[in-house]
Amino acid sequence: MRVAVTGGAGFIGSHLVEKLVELGNSVVVIDNMSSGSLSNLERVREKIDLKIADVKDLRTCLDVFKDVEVVYHFAANPEVRVSVTNPKIHFDENVYATFVVAEASRLSNNVRTIVFASSSTVYGDATVPTPEDSSLRPISVYGASKAAAELILHSYSHLYGIRVVVLRYANIIGPRLKHGVVYDFLMKLSKNPDVLEVLGDGRQRKSYLYIDDAIEATILAAEASKAPFEVYNVGNSDWVEVSEIAKIVSKVLGLKPRIVFTGGTKDGRGWPGDVKFMLLSIDKITSLGWRPKHSSAEAVELAARSLATELGLLKTF
Ligand code: NAD
């Protein structure tokens, strides 16, 4: 099958591209390299078509989507914290970009399915474990941008018969990751191995899923969904505290830094808009036969180890 992956040079996107190629698909990637890189695609570079361009350009998308049946829309600005300082980035890169991808899919006349990388942040401060039918009450512009993008896609599925599969990911971690708490801790420790500053009170507790588990769930959900519009939570069955993550990452580097908590917001969040407790109900996706192979803590250790190797940090300490 001919498939397109927007953001295919990024962290999740590049792992997805590798799996899609392995499964025998003909893959075209569109990525503007704002946070992605060619090195992420080096294992499959000869086997794919690559367009270095912005998905917000309708003509380019139309050209890329020629003969494409399934679009995996993973291009976005994934940094939740950016919401606080520059909310427009999330409107442009996550909402408007999704509108263009939907429009290009409609106008192409050949795209039958859009698989969309949404996020647990659409729920905001929800009761946990949070099922798919919970209210969408995002507390960051990032979360709001993902919720808005989901709704645009819903209208396209209703009006134009494009099948949409929405995947609300928990924290996905593993090699090639360039944002989030595990990456941040590694970078901080590479600069100062004696002190590790943790944003917030350290009591934030969230679910983490290793990239291989996430890719398996993504492929399964994309293939299993038959409804015009289907939503799946993709996360782990357990969670881990940020203070524990600090200890795991330090241990991977063989360090014993002094761990300092900034305190964060009044209620101990890392930053305004940070969801402090996140655990998704994964009953729906597990009913398809998928199970995470690694717990949240195991995922953190595996990711920290692979990222530390990638960043050359294991040699340093
Ligand atoms: P990433 O930054 O590694 O990947 C995003 C990719 O999109 C990058 O390669 C970037 O260059 C590209 N891109 C951004 N804007 C673009 C544009 N306008 N045109 C073309 N390409 C563009 O981030 P990621 O962690 O791999 O995230 C992938 C997707 O999954 C994003 O939609 C993100 O919001 C979503 N998501 C990620 C997580 C996570 O924990 N990593 C959790 C929930 C949702």
Side-chain angles (χ1 to χ4, degrees), residues 6-13 30-37 53-56 73-78 93 97 117-120 142 146 169-173 177 179:
T6 75
F11 160 54
I12 303 180
I30 174 167
D31 198 300
N32 67 358
M33 302 293 167
S34 52
S35 58
S37 70
D54 201 297
V55 291
K56 299 196 293 306
H73 178 38
F74 280 61
N77 180 305
E93 301 305 316
S118 187
S119 157
S120 63
Y142 172 79
K146 288 291 183 182
Y169 292 112
N171 293 305
I172 311 301
I173 54 175
L177 181 65
H179 59 94

Side-chain angles (χ1 to χ4, degrees), residues 28 34 73 98 126 150 210 281 317:
V28 55
S34 52
H73 178 38
T98 302
E150 284 189 16
Y210 195 63
S281 162
F317 301 112

Side-chain angles (χ1 to χ4, degrees), residues 135-152:
S135 305
L136 303 189
R137 294 281 184 270
I139 60 166
S140 63
V141 178
Y142 172 79
S145 73
K146 288 291 183 182
E150 284 189 16
L151 295 181
I152 289 169

Side-chain angles (χ1 to χ4, degrees), residues 1 120 134:
M1 200 188 315
S120 63
S134 301

Side-chain angles (χ1 to χ4, degrees), residues 3-312:
V3 303
V5 182
T6 75
F11 160 54
I12 303 180
S14 62
H15 287 278
L16 178 62
V17 169
E18 283 175 2
K19 179 52 89 176
L20 289 166
V21 167
E22 188 190 310
L23 293 172
N25 295 284
S26 156
V27 182
V28 55
V29 166
I30 174 167
D31 198 300
N32 67 358
M33 302 293 167
S34 52
S35 58
S37 70
L38 281 180
S39 61
N40 285 345
L41 289 170
E42 68 189 8
R43 290 190 196 165
V44 283
R45 185 61 199 92
E46 300 306 316
K47 298 178 182 157
I48 60 166
D49 295 315
L50 171 65
K51 180 84 180 171
I52 299 179
D54 201 297
V55 291
K56 299 196 293 306
D57 186 74
L58 181 64
R59 276 193 198 169
T60 308
C61 275
L62 264 175
D63 187 43
V64 170
F65 293 176
K66 227 173 13 208
D67 304 326
V68 160
E69 285 177 61
V70 182
V71 174
Y72 290 83
H73 178 38
F74 280 61
N77 180 305
E79 287 273 7
V80 186
R81 257 188 286 171
V82 168
S83 281
V84 184
T85 49
N86 195 342
K88 187 172 182 298
I89 287 189
H90 285 148
F91 178 80
D92 292 342
E93 301 305 316
N94 303 359
V95 184
Y96 182 68
T98 302
F99 167 70
V100 176
V101 166
E103 249 319 71
S105 301
R106 171 178 82 90
L107 294 169
S108 75
N109 286 322
N110 45 267
V111 173
R112 291 184 293 106
T113 304
I114 300 174
V115 180
F116 176 57
S118 187
S119 157
S120 63
T121 57
V122 296
Y123 298 117
D125 287 332
T127 311
V128 295
T130 314
E132 286 85 352
D133 58 3
S134 301
S135 305
L136 303 189
R137 294 281 184 270
I139 60 166
S140 63
V141 178
Y142 172 79
S145 73
K146 288 291 183 182
E150 284 189 16
L151 295 181
I152 289 169
L153 293 174
H154 185 270
S155 68
Y156 270 72
S157 84
H158 181 83
L159 287 173
Y160 310 117
I162 299 171
R163 193 172 67 103
V164 172
V165 183
V166 169
L167 303 170
R168 292 183 184 147
Y169 292 112
N171 293 305
I172 311 301
I173 54 175
R176 303 178 198 154
L177 181 65
K178 290 280 180 305
H179 59 94
V181 66
V182 177
Y183 182 78
D184 281 358
F185 284 173
L186 286 168
M187 294 314 283
K188 283 177 178 170
L189 286 169
S190 73
K191 285 180 196 128
N192 183 355
D194 300 322
V195 180
L196 177 57
E197 184 191 73
V198 176
L199 302 180
D201 62 8
R203 298 265 168 80
Q204 306 96 305
R205 192 177 272 268
K206 307 187 196 194
S207 166
Y208 289 79
L209 187 67
Y210 195 63
I211 183 72
D212 295 358
D213 282 331
I215 297 300
E216 231 180 72
T218 301
I219 300 284
L220 181 66
E223 285 173 358
S225 312
K226 297 285 174 266
F229 184 87
E230 198 76 76
V231 179
Y232 292 96
N233 286 338
V234 179
N236 223 315
S237 49
D238 67 351
W239 50 359
V240 59
E241 227 177 54
V242 171
S243 58
E244 184 61 25
I245 295 177
K247 286 184 200 151
I248 296 171
V249 174
S250 304
K251 195 171 156 212
V252 164
L253 295 181
L255 297 172
K256 282 195 177 153
R258 191 160 54 85
I259 298 178
V260 178
F261 300 96
T262 65
T265 62
K266 259 192 291 187
D267 49 4
R269 299 169 198 267
W271 60 89
D274 179 28
V275 174
K276 200 170 174 191
F277 303 106
M278 185 271 286
L279 179 67
L280 300 174
S281 162
I282 53 169
D283 291 351
K284 188 170 171 182
I285 184 106
T286 53
S287 75
L288 299 179
W290 172 85
R291 294 272 179 290
K293 292 192 178 68
H294 307 284
S295 67
S296 287
E298 284 167 2
V300 168
E301 187 175 340
L302 280 171
R305 206 170 286 287
S306 57
L307 286 170
T309 308
E310 222 168 76
L311 297 165

